[in-house]
């Protein structure tokens, strides 16, 4: 059974930083590209970042590019999203996702497995 479990969410002040982690089990982790998406109330799920199977390629959504960094540790079956300079607009539930054969990293339907999500709230 494939499981993706996110952690690290919480409340942070504007301008602050937060690191999200996603622990994967039940799948050959190093054969999957990994992604992060977010969804705010009343909005569609939005692409945040993705990393290729080898870690050589990284992709970011327009709204977070330059502020966040995605990385993976295949020895621990984890993918991490380091978020800096957080803004109230970053408030959302953040989801981890795994995709075997991605052609469009920013498309929700390209991914095979999803975590349950972790809440990130940016507020003073």
């Amino acid at each position: 059974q494939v499981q993706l479990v996110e952690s690290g969410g919480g409340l942070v002040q504007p301008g602050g930083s937060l690191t999200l982690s996603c622990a994967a089990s039940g799948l050959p982790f190093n054969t999957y590209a990994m992604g992060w998406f977010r969804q705010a109330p009343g909005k569609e799920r939005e692409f945040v970042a993705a990393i290729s199977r080898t870690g050589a390629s990284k992709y970011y959504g327009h709204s977070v590019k330059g502020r966040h960094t995605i990385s993976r540790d295949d020895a621990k079956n984890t993918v991490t999203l380091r978020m800096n300079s957080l803004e109230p607009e970053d408030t959302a539930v953040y989801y981890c996702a795994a995709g075997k054969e991605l052609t469009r990293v920013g498309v929700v339907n390209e991914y095979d497995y999803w975590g349950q999500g972790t809440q990130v709230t940016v507020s003073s």
Side-chain angles (χ1 to χ4, degrees), residues 41-94:
K43 295 188 177 181
E44 293 187 354
R45 195 162 294 193
E46 177 189 17
F47 172 68
V48 176
I51 187 167
S52 64
R53 289 174 290 177
T54 65
S57 299
K58 300 178 182 181
Y59 312 87
Y60 297 94
H62 293 299
S63 59
V64 305
K65 196 170 185 178
R67 298 189 294 127
H68 298 355
T69 303
I70 189 171
S71 60
R72 65 187 295 156
D73 185 341
D74 288 357
K76 297 181 179 179
N77 284 8
T78 59
V79 59
T80 299
L81 182 68
R82 174 67 177 178
M83 305 189 294
N84 297 316
S85 303
L86 285 164
E87 306 164 350
E89 293 73 23
D90 294 312
T91 295
V93 177
Y94 283 70

Side-chain angles (χ1 to χ4, degrees), residues 8-124:
L11 174 64
V12 62
Q13 292 188 341
S17 298
L18 209 59
T19 298
L20 304 183
S21 294
C22 172
S25 60
L27 76 171
F29 185 73
N30 62 358
T31 68
Y32 280 79
M34 300 299 295
W36 286 96
F37 287 75
R38 68 186 184 186
Q39 190 165 18
K43 295 188 177 181
E44 293 187 354
R45 195 162 294 193
E46 177 189 17
F47 172 68
V48 176
I51 187 167
S52 64
R53 289 174 290 177
T54 65
S57 299
K58 300 178 182 181
Y59 312 87
Y60 297 94
H62 293 299
S63 59
V64 305
K65 196 170 185 178
R67 298 189 294 127
H68 298 355
T69 303
I70 189 171
S71 60
R72 65 187 295 156
D73 185 341
D74 288 357
K76 297 181 179 179
N77 284 8
T78 59
V79 59
T80 299
L81 182 68
R82 174 67 177 178
M83 305 189 294
N84 297 316
S85 303
L86 285 164
E87 306 164 350
E89 293 73 23
D90 294 312
T91 295
V93 177
Y94 283 70
Y95 297 91
C96 171
K100 186 74 170 180
E101 299 290 342
L102 296 182
T103 56
R104 297 168 294 174
V105 295
V107 176
V108 169
N109 290 342
E110 291 275 330
Y111 291 81
D112 304 302
Y113 302 104
W114 292 83
Q116 293 299 307
T118 185
Q119 177 70 46
V120 172
T121 303
V122 184
S123 174
S124 55

